[in-house]
Amino acid sequence: MKSDIRVCSAWRDRHARPVYSLSETCPECGAPTENSAPAPYNPEDPYGEYRRARKRRLAEESE
């Protein structure tokens, strides 16, 4: 899932604080913007397999 809110990629160099926008460019300096949200999960998550198995077991128990 991709976030609609974006942040100026050069805000650390050009602005006192982050500048958020919905467009592909910063409204103040014109620099490109980037997705402001972190990834929802790490694809290399070492415990993901166990978490999914537990979730399946809980779902089966509740049925």
Side-chain angles (χ1 to χ4, degrees):
M1 182 173 148
K2 185 177 173 186
S3 174
D4 290 335
I5 299 174
R6 302 174 66 80
V7 65
C8 177
S9 60
W11 75 266
R12 288 177 181 87
D13 299 330
R14 299 181 185 178
H15 309 289
R17 60 184 199 176
V19 176
Y20 296 96
S21 175
L22 296 176
S23 69
E24 296 290 323
T25 58
C26 175
E28 294 184 16
C29 69
T33 57
E34 55 191 24
N35 189 355
S36 65
Y41 62 92
N42 180 359
E44 299 171 2
D45 182 7
Y47 301 105
E49 176 185 345
Y50 304 108
R51 198 171 25 261
R52 288 185 294 272
R54 180 173 183 261
K55 188 175 182 179
R56 281 192 298 269
R57 278 196 310 269
L58 291 173
E60 290 171 0
E61 291 174 3
S62 67
E63 290 179 350

